[in-house]
Amino acid sequence: MTNRLSNVIEEAKKVSRGYVAENIAKNVLPLLDEDRKKLIVAALFDIIASDMVIDTERKASFEKYVGEKKNFLLMRRNIVLSDLLAGLLIYTVIVIPNTDGKEDASKVDRTYVDRFKKTAESFHIIEQLDDISNQDDDKKPVGEAIAAYLEKVRDKYDKIYTLINKYEPIPFYNIFVCNDIERKIPVQGAYRNIYRSEYVKNARVSELSELSKYIIFTGTGGIGKSMMMRHFLFDAIARYKETDMLPIFILLKDFEDTGKPLVDYICENVCNYGTGITRSTISSLLKAGKCLLLFDGLDELGTKNGDRFGKLLESFIDRYSNNQFIVSSRPSRTFAPFLRFTPMFIRPFTKDQALTLIDKISFRTDDPTIKERFRKELDLRLFNSHHEFAENPLLLTIMLMTYEKYEDVPSKMHNFYRKAFEALAQEHDANKGYKRPLAMGLSADDFAEYLSEFCALTYCDEKFELTKADIYEYFNRLNTLKRRDDESATPANFITDLCNNLCIMYLENDKYHFTHRSFQEYFCAVCFSKQKDRDLPDIGDIFENMRSRNYADKTFPMLYDMISAKLDEYMFIPLLQKLFKDCDAEDGYWTFLSIMYPRIEYEKGETDGYSNTAPVSYLYEFIRKRFFDEAYNFEILPMQEAFVVESYAYIEENECNVLLNVNDIPLGYEDEHGKPDEVGWVLEIDIDKVKARKYHYKDVVAALDENSFCLKQEYKKARECLQNLLDNQKPKGHSILDRLI
């Protein structure tokens, strides 16, 4: 066997260089009989390590190219088959004879490498080739390349702009205040799972890695998700020497689906820093579980890219499961592609954290009494009266700016954003030192007409980041542009006002982003509020059909606060009237369930998941929460094996009982310990299925029909709500003055 393989190598040296890869594939691969692979592997190793055909000069030349990875071929005995083949094939490609017959290992014919890559792809060994063929004589050692990369990443993200410091970036930790992190812990109960909250203060990556390898952080807009992710990045950089975990920071707002695997996107992200880290180095670190992947801004992907990214990430984790993964996002109805992730929540600021942020902000140093008065008001009054703003770092900053102008802060969300916009516009004038119009030559109110329509169009298209061409396209579509005919109303001036004068948007990586999505939501609501009454039902359809909306979206709540009476009359009453007309024409309450709650998800026993029951109609859900918020209580629903979608059991792990989905129980556990008893279930009732076979599911039917059941109570309250809305439409007097709202 050994002699035959030696002959193959000798022959490979003699053949024309254009056929090296083909000859290796033709003469070596047929030797790999399934029943004799171990013998062949041993023979290959002996040839490469000791056969006289490969003399010491060649071996030294090969080691020079293999560098730090030489051990995988020459020093390690339990080597895998693909590594050995890689070593053999690389040797025949890299060591190229010159025309004078002497060998020169310093030159690599790219034609051969390209031909070899085609053959090597079937062996999954491209990474080993890249390590060698892309290495230059003056290339930094891996350790130096990583150190340079970490320094460049730190320098890139260490400085930030804020609404207050918008002309000069400030060091990250000069402004950062660490939110608390909340984790829900299942607690064993007699009949169902109960969750308690566990809080992590001043979080570090090492603490999180002890809790889970896969974490998804959620928090409302402006709560500090991106700041927290930067904090994790800097913490990982500072601790790299002790953890040996390479942090890779990915801004998902820059993600574009090119059809490539996610590993390509990640490698490009790292290699673009130009520090000498190669794709193969990253691949090796990923395979060894030595990377911390920080994916910031899942909610900024939109529906199409979000679904695609979820599939790419799922496949990526399957391949590189031993790494640490942290994802941030606004809250969403579901994280279906992220079921293996542990959900954690970025908590709103406490009063002490809010006061600390105000202390850190450098604001009006020419008149420090403004910040002093605001801080005192925040401590004594505003944190309690305006907690929804004061608990949010971004909104708290806008509160300070608004307080400077008005010595007060509005309590309604839409009024708050109106005042905030006015404060930003006045800040523009103040920075210029004199009263000056915007680039479009308009007042702030006139500019808001363009901005509100622009935000409505982009919001409906789920465009949360835009290229320059996108902004030009949307701007030229504006009806406001045609209606007003302002001379200086050009896309270029519009961008200047958005980014430089008002700081509503900013440019990063050739794309424009809203300083905060809430500005887009507010101005969209402003635009919708000014539409004709007859168009309101169509606007309602926009919200009904926007399935990617997250729970933190404030557009419709702000719209309702602006024109609540109109929405009652033109959206809510027609919706409820149609709903109950359909109910009365068919099966009453059961038709209501079919329309609004076609699937009811609930838990029994001990689980580590969350049931996700909600009405299918967004507008109805808003009505429910606004007028008769009936808590869901499904304890009355029986255990029905046919409806089980997930099961849970306790297993022994590190001398502790751990609750797991039965699908996640490690392979081989049942062989050693036996099948664990199921202790909890997530069930899903299909209402139409139950209606079709009521006798078969009589226990479930009885529970659903029980007058005390929460949805039966809700059905009654929804009818009462419709009547109240109709009553409010009736004239209250004989004169118009009696009927004023």
Side-chain angles (χ1 to χ4, degrees), residues 353-367:
Q353 289 166 340
L355 293 172
T356 299
L357 178 60
I358 296 301
D359 291 338
K360 284 194 167 194
I361 291 175
S362 177
F363 183 76
R364 287 297 303 272
T365 54
D366 61 313
D367 187 359

Side-chain angles (χ1 to χ4, degrees), residues 65-78:
Y65 275 89
V66 173
E68 292 185 2
K69 289 188 174 292
K70 64 184 178 182
N71 290 339
F72 86 76
L73 208 59
L74 301 174
M75 306 288 289
R76 199 176 73 203
R77 277 286 174 180
N78 60 338

Side-chain angles (χ1 to χ4, degrees), residues 652-680:
E652 293 182 14
E653 188 175 281
N654 298 326
E655 299 182 357
C656 296
N657 286 331
V658 179
L659 185 65
L660 285 180
N661 187 307
V662 294
N663 293 324
D664 296 331
I665 294 175
L667 292 174
Y669 180 88
E670 293 184 8
D671 295 336
E672 183 176 351
H673 300 281
K675 186 175 181 179
D677 294 331
E678 294 181 2
V679 297

Side-chain angles (χ1 to χ4, degrees), residues 1 107 195 263 283 394 442 524 591 632 653 722:
M1 176 78 67
K107 297 180 180 179
Y195 293 89
V263 67
S283 179
L394 177 70
L442 304 173
C524 176
T591 301
Y632 293 125
E653 188 175 281
L722 172 59

Side-chain angles (χ1 to χ4, degrees), residues 369-386:
T369 62
I370 296 174
K371 192 172 87 167
E372 290 171 4
R373 292 197 306 274
F374 176 76
R375 190 189 191 282
K376 184 177 180 180
E377 285 288 303
L378 181 67
D379 188 18
L380 297 177
R381 177 178 67 87
L382 288 176
F383 189 85
N384 294 326
S385 62
H386 293 67

Side-chain angles (χ1 to χ4, degrees), residues 514-568:
F514 286 94
T515 303
H516 192 262
R517 285 256 299 275
S518 55
F519 282 112
Q520 183 189 33
E521 293 166 2
Y522 164 70
F523 282 106
C524 176
V526 169
C527 180
F528 286 163
S529 71
K530 295 179 178 180
Q531 303 312 303
K532 293 181 171 60
D533 294 347
R534 66 172 181 266
D535 294 326
L536 292 178
D538 291 335
I539 291 174
D541 290 340
I542 291 173
F543 289 97
E544 289 282 54
N545 297 325
M546 191 175 291
R547 292 303 170 204
S548 66
R549 183 190 305 102
N550 55 65
Y551 283 124
D553 193 312
K554 299 295 184 184
T555 312
F556 193 83
M558 285 191 282
L559 176 62
Y560 186 77
D561 283 343
M562 294 174 188
I563 53 170
S564 55
K566 288 186 176 183
L567 296 193
D568 287 348

